[in-house]
Amino acid sequence: MIRNALRRFMYGRYGNDQLNVFLLVSYLVLYVTYSITGFDILYWLATVAMVACLFRMMSRNYSRRREENTKFMKKAGPVIQWFRLRRTIHKDKDHTYFKCPSCSQQLRVPKGKGKITVTCRSCGAVFQEKS
Ligand SMILES: [Zn+2]
């Protein structure tokens, strides 16, 4: 019932994207920091982030919202990728991760094989790496 009402309400509206998730997380971080420090400016910034997030979700202007998200992802994409890679490396205990010295391609080899010769799959460079 409520779900249907919400679906009807959200019909034709933009909904969620990465920029909105970022705004929501910003809101939470700012609000928590505000409740610890008591700096009024943080409260207002948190409110602005929340209002922007809601406005974008409710918006019917798809092309503008998509454009904003594309701009955001151009800037935030590499940062998000970096965090994802850290998480993968942290979880994956069976491989050693490193970058190719000639093309910077991210590579991995099985751990505990000692010194090995690596051939980069992307540029074909051959080099020694400890695993
Ligand atoms: Zn390479």
Side-chain angles (χ1 to χ4, degrees), residues 100 102-105 107 120-125:
C100 169
S102 76
C103 73
S104 301
Q105 171 69 43
L107 301 166
C120 175
R121 261 184 295 171
S122 160
C123 71

Side-chain angles (χ1 to χ4, degrees), residues 19-67:
L19 177 53
N20 269 351
V21 172
F22 172 75
L23 286 169
L24 206 64
V25 170
S26 302
Y27 165 78
L28 288 172
V29 169
L30 288 165
Y31 193 82
V32 167
T33 316
Y34 159 73
S35 50
I36 294 166
T37 62
F39 289 131
D40 282 348
I41 183 80
L42 296 172
Y43 176 80
W44 291 112
L45 286 173
T47 307
V48 168
M50 181 46 95
V51 168
C53 180
L54 287 174
F55 170 78
R56 293 191 75 255
M57 261 184 201
M58 300 299 134
S59 173
R60 292 181 191 277
N61 192 345
Y62 273 61
S63 54
R64 275 294 293 278
R65 301 290 88 81
R66 218 172 271 147
E67 204 176 287

Side-chain angles (χ1 to χ4, degrees), residues 61-80:
N61 192 345
Y62 273 61
S63 54
R64 275 294 293 278
R65 301 290 88 81
R66 218 172 271 147
E67 204 176 287
E68 287 165 3
N69 195 51
T70 307
K71 272 187 198 159
F72 169 73
M73 284 310 284
K74 235 182 216 164
K75 292 214 172 85
V79 180
I80 294 169

